[in-house]
Amino acid sequence: MFLMTHGALPMLTYDTLAEGITRGRQRLVELTHQDFCFDLKAWHDRLARTKSYNYRSIERPGVYPKSLLDVLHDPDWIAAVEFAEQTQLFDKLVADDAKMRQATADAERRWAGRDRFCPKCGATFHSVGDRGQCPVCYHTFFVSHPDGDPDWWRDDG
């Protein structure tokens, strides 16, 4: 819920506020198997009713913390949500994540049990899967994207 209201976590930031808020929504949908879009009050009520999501135990449905009410009036948050809705960012992120998971599974099948070359030192070693660690220099990499490109799985660049 914090990610959806703030668009970032102390250890996790995104390029835009809209992406962070949308990732928060995506995570809540994954946890609850329900989607209340960007309706913070509906999300609060759902989480407060169900204690299994580790939502703060003092929160009750229909009783909204000041921090949540403040976010609902924050012009930056409102603009980010409007942008996310207009660009269908949630659907795009969900589709991208599914594509990445499929590409990762395909890479694991493709590279499991094969010889590979370390991109750092050139040593050859037998692969267990896509991710490997060179036994000579201990460089860790994905054979499907040895240069560390985070978008290796995208076919559209």
Side-chain angles (χ1 to χ4, degrees):
M1 188 70 169
F2 189 89
L3 181 56
M4 191 169 172
T5 56
H6 292 82
L9 295 172
M11 66 293 214
L12 185 64
T13 59
Y14 295 98
D15 292 338
T16 65
L17 180 60
E19 183 181 359
I21 292 167
T22 306
R23 289 289 185 187
R25 174 184 167 195
Q26 185 180 6
R27 182 70 179 127
L28 288 170
V29 169
E30 289 169 0
L31 285 172
T32 65
H33 304 287
Q34 292 184 319
D35 189 2
F36 299 107
C37 297
F38 295 100
D39 185 345
L40 294 181
K41 289 181 177 180
W43 279 115
H44 169 85
D45 290 344
R46 171 64 171 94
L47 295 172
R49 260 188 259 108
T50 309
K51 301 298 181 190
S52 62
Y53 299 115
N54 205 19
Y55 196 57
R56 291 182 291 186
S57 61
I58 59 170
E59 307 298 355
R60 296 187 324 263
V63 178
Y64 306 107
K66 182 180 180 326
S67 59
L68 185 141
L69 297 174
D70 289 346
V71 167
L72 291 173
H73 299 290
D74 179 352
D76 292 336
W77 189 87
I78 293 167
V81 167
E82 287 174 356
F83 174 80
E85 289 175 331
Q86 290 169 356
T87 61
Q88 298 179 333
L89 187 57
F90 180 80
D91 294 333
K92 289 176 184 175
L93 293 176
V94 168
D96 272 359
D97 286 355
K99 188 175 182 180
M100 183 177 64
R101 279 191 299 277
Q102 184 61 52
T104 301
D106 291 346
E108 281 292 327
R109 281 190 296 277
R110 180 174 178 223
W111 291 102
R114 292 190 173 197
D115 286 339
R116 66 170 72 189
F117 299 96
C118 174
K120 186 173 181 182
C121 74
T124 303
F125 63 99
H126 196 68
S127 173
V128 174
D130 182 40
R131 182 183 167 122
Q133 183 176 37
C134 175
V136 176
C137 72
Y138 302 106
H139 176 65
T140 302
F141 64 99
F142 292 90
V143 79
S144 55
H145 57 291
D147 297 328
D149 178 12
D151 293 325
W152 65 272
W153 53 273
R154 294 182 188 271
D155 56 14
D156 56 6

